[in-house]
Amino acid sequence: MTVSADGGVRVLVVQHEDNTGPGLVGEHVERTGVRLELVHPWAGDPMPTALDGYAGLLVLGGSPNCEDDERAPWLPRTRELIRQAVAERLPLLGICLGGQLMTVALGGSVAPRGRVPEVGAVPLRRLAGAVEDPVLGAVPDGAPAAQWHWDEITALPPGAVPLLGGDDSVHQAFRVGPVAWGVQFHPEVLGDVMAEWAESDGPNVKAAGGDPDAGVAAVRAAEPQLRAVWGASAEAWGRVVLDQAAARQPGR
């Protein structure tokens, strides 16, 4: 069963920090009628041991490295939930750190960039695998995506389908199996959140040779496109969640 006792379709959302919520993605997923249930392990919330009763899993971004289990001791459980979602064909969306956790949990690799962090609004390239993808198939070539990451995906999991690429960080979006998506960028983020990140992490970006203020300005300038493209993609993912939940009901 992936429908809760009250008849609602619920998605578990793993949030890693207080300023990395579901944002634009959460707003548009909820427009489809899916209910988001956030867990805040960084604040002491217990992590579920299984996905029973949930119709999907959304894993958000954050500053820990995807294998920094000492700093973020809930990461092993998160990686296990990711593997469970893929095995059970529950819709999954991993965003930035979430996409990196998905990568390593399923056999790919992630590493520090070794150069200036990718920050700002970055155009993405459509790849052949995106043509018929139910979530990212409508993303136009050159669509901007908000970026803020120090690590990057260096090898996709075995069998993953590349969907979107970039000129700097190559692996920007992929799918594993029929209903599990990982992205390197931040479809949930707009300019105000980027400005918050620039306050907290901007000095580190500057020390590494980046320009966080220009990154924030680029995201603010791209907001109409960001809202349109990633809002539509989030709703497409929400519809996948609903369709999969309906298909799992008795008698279907």
Side-chain angles (χ1 to χ4, degrees):
M1 289 286 291
T2 56
V3 175
S4 61
D6 64 3
V9 174
R10 299 183 302 155
V11 162
L12 177 67
V13 183
V14 180
Q15 181 175 335
H16 302 282
E17 294 171 333
D18 62 354
N19 64 345
T20 58
L24 182 71
V25 167
E27 172 190 335
H28 282 269
V29 169
E30 288 185 322
R31 286 186 184 181
T32 68
V34 171
R35 192 167 78 234
L36 302 183
E37 185 171 297
L38 275 68
V39 60
H40 299 142
W42 53 272
D45 289 354
M47 283 282 289
T49 58
L51 293 170
D52 298 345
Y54 292 106
L57 175 64
L58 171 58
V59 184
L60 299 172
S63 59
N65 176 275
C66 64
E67 296 179 289
D68 193 351
D69 298 350
E70 183 174 349
R71 177 183 174 189
W74 59 89
L75 293 184
R77 177 65 55 78
T78 305
R79 294 192 295 268
E80 181 54 39
L81 291 175
I82 286 170
R83 286 189 285 266
Q84 183 182 139
V86 172
E88 297 181 4
R89 295 195 172 189
L90 288 179
L92 166 64
L93 177 58
I95 291 174
C96 199
L97 171 58
Q100 294 169 359
L101 284 162
M102 181 176 166
T103 297
V104 298
L106 302 176
S109 61
V110 172
R113 280 170 55 82
R115 57 197 187 280
V116 176
E118 190 171 41
V119 171
V122 175
L124 304 183
R125 289 182 284 103
R126 277 175 60 89
L127 303 176
V131 173
E132 296 184 357
D133 187 81
V135 169
L136 298 177
V139 174
D141 192 55
Q147 306 273 3
W148 194 293
H149 61 103
W150 293 79
D151 300 334
E152 65 186 353
I153 299 164
T154 53
L156 295 177
V161 178
L163 303 174
L164 299 172
D167 291 336
D168 188 353
S169 287
V170 174
H171 303 297
Q172 290 287 348
F174 63 94
R175 188 183 70 249
V176 174
V179 293
W181 288 266
V183 301
Q184 178 61 84
F185 54 95
H186 284 281
E188 84 284 17
V189 166
L190 298 171
D192 286 348
V193 171
M194 287 285 285
E196 290 181 17
W197 294 353
E199 285 287 326
S200 59
D201 197 35
N204 297 323
V205 173
K206 287 182 180 179
D211 189 341
D213 295 331
V216 173
V219 169
R220 289 197 186 282
E223 277 196 6
Q225 291 172 281
L226 297 175
R227 287 183 182 276
V229 172
W230 307 118
S233 295
E235 291 187 24
W237 188 77
R239 289 191 293 271
V240 170
V241 172
L242 293 174
D243 289 345
Q244 290 293 111
R248 286 172 175 264
Q249 295 313 298
R252 294 296 297 269

